[in-house]
Amino acid sequence: MSVDAATVKRIGRLARIRIEEDEVAAYQNELNAILGFVEQLAEIDVEGVEAMTSVTPMKLRRRDDVVSDGGYAEKIVANAPLTEDNFFMVPKVVE
């Protein structure tokens, strides 16, 4: 795949990047080099390669998914400047 000057100008317009007429050839060469690299990547055989989420294998630590009411409302509101019946109290902001 090759990018022509009109495509470079269109990409610049879509990206809202001002591309001067004397810069079009340089951008055209850069975009063609990038697309050439992507085409090389498409030729690689990745059959049987497992997807990675990290360079080191690891498992996420998980806790049991148990529904509970928490049971520690006092601890949650302990540092609040003003509370009532384990609810945060805030100044009125709407008249």
Side-chain angles (χ1 to χ4, degrees):
M1 177 177 201
S2 181
V3 175
D4 59 354
T7 305
V8 171
K9 291 177 185 177
R10 184 166 187 265
I11 291 170
R13 185 175 46 82
L14 290 172
R16 300 192 188 279
I17 299 171
R18 182 187 348 240
I19 299 178
E20 301 297 334
E21 197 62 41
D22 60 333
E23 300 173 325
V24 171
Y27 283 120
Q28 184 176 354
N29 290 336
E30 288 183 31
L31 287 171
N32 284 326
I34 292 168
L35 291 175
F37 180 70
V38 171
E39 287 175 356
Q40 286 179 355
L41 290 176
E43 296 172 2
I44 297 173
D45 180 25
V46 293
E47 187 68 33
V49 177
E50 190 173 331
M52 295 184 355
T53 57
S54 175
V55 293
T56 58
M58 64 177 74
K59 287 193 175 247
L60 295 175
R61 289 179 282 166
R62 298 181 180 176
R63 61 178 168 81
D64 293 335
D65 190 13
V66 178
V67 176
S68 70
D69 61 356
Y72 46 87
E74 298 84 18
K75 291 181 182 178
I76 293 173
V77 297
N79 291 327
L82 190 58
T83 64
E84 183 177 307
D85 295 328
N86 291 329
F87 290 100
F88 294 97
M89 293 182 64
V90 296
K92 185 176 181 179
V93 293
V94 178
E95 297 286 332

